[in-house]
Amino acid sequence: MRKLVLAAISIAALISVGPASAADNPIVLKFSHVVASDTPKGKAADKFKELAEKYTDGKVKVEVYPNSTLYKDKEELEALQLGAVQMLAPSNSKFGPIGIKEFEVFDLPYILPDLNALRKVTDGPLGSKLLQRLDSKGMTGLAYWDNGFKQMSANKKLVAPSDYKGLKFRIQSSKVLEAQFRALGAIPQVMAFSDVYQALQTGVVDGQENTWSNIYTQKMHEVQKYATVTNHGYIGYVVVVNKKFWDGLPADIRDQLSKAMKEATEYGNSLSVKENEDALEQIKKAGKTEIITLTPEQNEAMRQAMMPVYKEVASRVGQPLIDEFLKETGRGPIN
């Protein structure tokens, strides 16, 4: 994989980070991500491009590469660290495999009751502390972007925990998500986001978990007979920039890009709820997927089935961090 990334660097024009003398010799910032442009993340990335170029008077040119057109899940963080791209917005899960396991706290099932609780974390001291952990990996954390809450889908009705037994579920690379599906008796399979549709279509995996906007824009609903409203987990992103690139920018350029990022973050996060609601309506309209809504009792049975995950991953994620997270979100002790 590293050879592939290095090869990409060798054929890419390397960026010189210094004061741009004119708009015809701009600083080029490559922003790569793995989802479609018409998702909350895709629209926020495009908004950042628009604002960054506006606020820097063209001294910075932002090139956005959506839908894994440059790098897939496993490649993108290494590409950033090596300087092949300057900016990414990976999901929280992606940081565990590179040694920042604390971000997997966001993957714990039912840890976030709503977006207000999420904001208490991301906009507060805990969110800042987590971002600082990225410095040691050669990247700077700039913002938290929302996608939304995850739902379950499969070609089998998923109502009770026992319904998951033996099914193969695609997951992001996350030990927490592995533990979550093992707790349900399912078989977790790590797979790049861009490969999920084909894997579902061909039966390589039986199901997956995702937000409505991701399910719809990736056409997963076309190859899944059932989707269950669970809201059991959250998908969010951390916008990161190559630290050497960022620190080498002129201070005024960095300030202008920070302003653009702040406004793009507010814009993208304000879209996420509506985008997911609209996507759900489109999925219903397509008529290929039956939407299942759990009763309060069925939902509680799912929650209880996943509670052992907290103890299983405590040594990996850190029990003090889990406790701090629960205190911020108001979830109380997990039993």
Side-chain angles (χ1 to χ4, degrees), residues 210-244:
N210 241 304
T211 61
W212 294 123
S213 65
N214 278 354
I215 291 170
Y216 179 67
T217 57
Q218 296 295 316
K219 303 183 188 301
M220 297 176 196
H221 64 290
E222 296 182 356
V223 288
Q224 294 278 265
K225 292 179 181 178
Y226 303 99
T228 302
V229 181
T230 53
N231 293 313
H232 65 282
Y234 165 78
I235 295 182
Y237 311 107
V238 181
V239 184
V240 291
V241 64
N242 178 282
K243 183 172 173 55
K244 185 176 179 181

Side-chain angles (χ1 to χ4, degrees), residues 84-134:
V85 293
Q86 288 67 53
M87 187 173 285
L88 305 171
S91 62
N92 295 307
S93 306
K94 305 279 178 57
F95 296 101
I98 67 167
I100 312 177
K101 302 169 186 176
E102 293 91 336
F103 277 93
E104 290 184 355
V105 69
F106 287 96
D107 290 335
L108 282 164
Y110 298 100
I111 197 167
L112 288 164
D114 52 44
L115 288 175
N116 288 332
L118 171 70
R119 285 287 162 267
K120 288 186 66 178
V121 172
T122 58
D123 295 351
L126 181 53
S128 297
K129 184 168 68 175
L130 285 170
L131 291 182
Q132 289 168 12
R133 294 282 290 114
L134 298 166

Side-chain angles (χ1 to χ4, degrees), residues 143-154:
Y144 290 96
W145 285 2
D146 292 343
N147 186 321
F149 288 94
K150 293 185 289 187
Q151 321 302 332
M152 297 285 197
S153 76

Side-chain angles (χ1 to χ4, degrees), residues 161-186:
S162 58
D163 296 329
Y164 292 77
K165 189 170 184 179
L167 296 184
K168 294 173 289 183
F169 274 81
R170 176 268 173 177
I171 63 165
Q172 301 184 69
S173 183
S174 165
K175 296 299 181 184
V176 174
L177 297 180
E178 286 183 24
Q180 171 187 285
F181 280 103
R182 284 199 307 269
L184 293 171

